[in-house]
Amino acid sequence: MTTLTRRTALAAALATSTALALPGAALAQDLPTLRLSSVVSDNDIRAEAFAEIAEAVSGTFDMQVFNGATLVAQGSEMTSIQRGNLEMGLVAPQTIAEQIPEWSIVTSAYLFSDAAHLQATFDSDVGDELKAMASEAGIHVLAPVYFGTRQVNLAPEIEVQTPEDLNGITMRMPGGDAWQFLGEAIGANPTPLAYAEVYTALQTGAIDGQDNPLPNDYNMKFYEVTSQIVMTGHLVGFDVLAISQELWDGLSPEEQETLQSAVDAAIATSTQRHLDREAELVQFFKDEGLRVYEPDRIAFRDYAQAKYLESEFAASWPEGMVDRINALAE
């Protein structure tokens, strides 16, 4: 026996012995691989949900979760799926809207009243239409993933009940035309500013306020340099958990049901945990001395939706879809 032959035989023997010693590892190699890429941190509620999904489907799929954008860059999840370089991704609706302009409707202010309205929309015929558009682009929507509702956080001690009360208020908003327009749509004077600079800008009076979900206000300690939180609820924040449409179509009905059921259960729990955390923080901020109150949300919604419908953003929206989505909240 030659040296090369002996080495080959030894490698085969080692591979066989390893497979026998580690049957779980061998089994995992036989299962379809699902790599999920997300931007959330490992201690995020959503990361825990993804781990729950992976555990629930472990007998059917080898699901591998990569958080913190460690597998693909933030914003590239959709194209990575389309190119066959990624099986699953947490995709921002704004990213989808870049390819499917009709999807910009779900990024507009006051389209959804709360997390339940968001879910009801994706469970409806409207959701079916949105999912069909995504399917044609090569991604299958498994679920909307709620992560919080944006509220207005102000330093000045003023009373805010309608959008007109924010006239002249300098509001920090993320950079980009869509985000700046969102600020205008709630009546404020938006200005772009890096997230890391917001605390100091509030402290020095360079800006009057900012908007974020309550957990972000807590994490960044904005409550230390502001006087109130106006519960405008102007944007229900969510991303889309998606899988390659080609891959989905290749799964058996049983495999599809296993994955979808695991997603539904884990995301429902994640949503409730986010809602519970937001409710807890309302009391926390009150205890810290901030005023926390709800304005006239109908006035804010009517003002914002009128602004959007008159804008270039609405040019691609399917006719009548805003009304159909509004009706699902009633």
Side-chain angles (χ1 to χ4, degrees), residues 51-182:
E52 291 172 8
I53 295 170
E55 176 63 26
V57 303
S58 60
T60 306
F61 301 101
D62 176 21
M63 184 171 171
Q64 304 167 11
V65 180
F66 298 85
N67 294 316
T70 55
L71 185 60
V72 301
Q74 181 176 7
S76 67
E77 300 88 357
M78 183 171 178
T79 53
S80 294
I81 292 173
Q82 292 169 321
R83 293 170 181 170
N85 299 326
L86 181 68
E87 291 78 37
M88 295 177 66
L90 188 65
V91 186
Q94 290 85 353
T95 298
I96 299 176
E98 291 174 0
Q99 292 194 33
I100 310 172
E102 292 86 348
W103 264 72
S104 67
I105 192 172
V106 299
T107 69
S108 63
Y110 288 103
L111 184 72
F112 304 118
S113 57
D114 52 28
H117 186 200
L118 166 67
Q119 187 62 56
T121 298
F122 273 84
D123 288 341
S124 71
D125 57 347
V126 173
D128 291 340
E129 293 176 26
L130 293 169
K131 293 173 186 176
M133 298 176 198
S135 176
E136 291 180 4
I139 63 171
H140 177 83
V141 174
L142 291 167
V145 182
Y146 175 77
F147 60 81
T149 299
R150 298 180 84 91
Q151 317 289 356
V152 168
N153 178 211
L154 299 174
E157 296 182 359
I158 62 175
E159 181 72 19
V160 177
Q161 288 298 328
T162 68
E164 288 75 18
D165 295 325
L166 290 178
N167 183 32
I169 293 295
T170 302
M171 180 84 65
R172 178 271 174 182
M173 300 294 296
D177 292 343
W179 285 110
Q180 294 298 296
F181 187 80
L182 174 63

Side-chain angles (χ1 to χ4, degrees), residues 99-304:
Q99 292 194 33
I100 310 172
E102 292 86 348
W103 264 72
S104 67
I105 192 172
V106 299
T107 69
S108 63
Y110 288 103
L111 184 72
F112 304 118
S113 57
D114 52 28
H117 186 200
L118 166 67
Q119 187 62 56
T121 298
F122 273 84
D123 288 341
S124 71
D125 57 347
V126 173
D128 291 340
E129 293 176 26
L130 293 169
K131 293 173 186 176
M133 298 176 198
S135 176
E136 291 180 4
I139 63 171
H140 177 83
V141 174
L142 291 167
V145 182
Y146 175 77
F147 60 81
T149 299
R150 298 180 84 91
Q151 317 289 356
V152 168
N153 178 211
L154 299 174
E157 296 182 359
I158 62 175
E159 181 72 19
V160 177
Q161 288 298 328
T162 68
E164 288 75 18
D165 295 325
L166 290 178
N167 183 32
I169 293 295
T170 302
M171 180 84 65
R172 178 271 174 182
M173 300 294 296
D177 292 343
W179 285 110
Q180 294 298 296
F181 187 80
L182 174 63
E184 295 177 14
I186 60 174
N189 178 29
T191 185
L193 186 66
Y195 192 44
E197 299 175 11
V198 175
Y199 184 99
T200 301
L202 288 168
Q203 188 177 43
T204 61
I207 58 174
D208 298 313
Q210 61 89 34
D211 82 316
N212 260 298
L214 299 186
N216 295 36
D217 296 338
Y218 174 82
N219 294 336
M220 298 299 288
K221 298 187 176 182
F222 294 146
Y223 60 89
E224 295 181 344
V225 288
T226 54
S227 69
Q228 62 175 304
I229 295 176
V230 189
M231 301 289 283
T232 50
H234 53 276
L235 188 68
V236 173
F238 76 99
D239 289 318
V240 173
L241 184 58
I243 186 172
S244 159
Q245 185 65 53
E246 181 178 2
L247 175 58
W248 177 261
D249 290 340
L251 299 178
S252 69
E254 293 76 19
E255 289 173 327
Q256 292 179 351
E257 174 61 25
T258 295
L259 180 57
Q260 188 65 63
S261 295
V263 167
D264 292 344
I267 298 307
T269 299
S270 171
T271 297
Q272 189 56 55
R273 290 185 63 193
H274 277 95
L275 294 172
D276 291 345
R277 180 58 175 157
E278 289 175 294
E280 292 170 0
L281 286 174
V282 167
Q283 188 58 52
F284 171 84
F285 292 135
K286 288 181 178 179
D287 292 342
E288 288 294 312
L290 276 69
R291 291 183 62 211
V292 183
Y293 61 97
E294 186 172 314
D296 184 344
R297 283 195 176 184
I298 294 178
F300 268 95
R301 187 186 73 173
D302 291 347
Y303 182 91

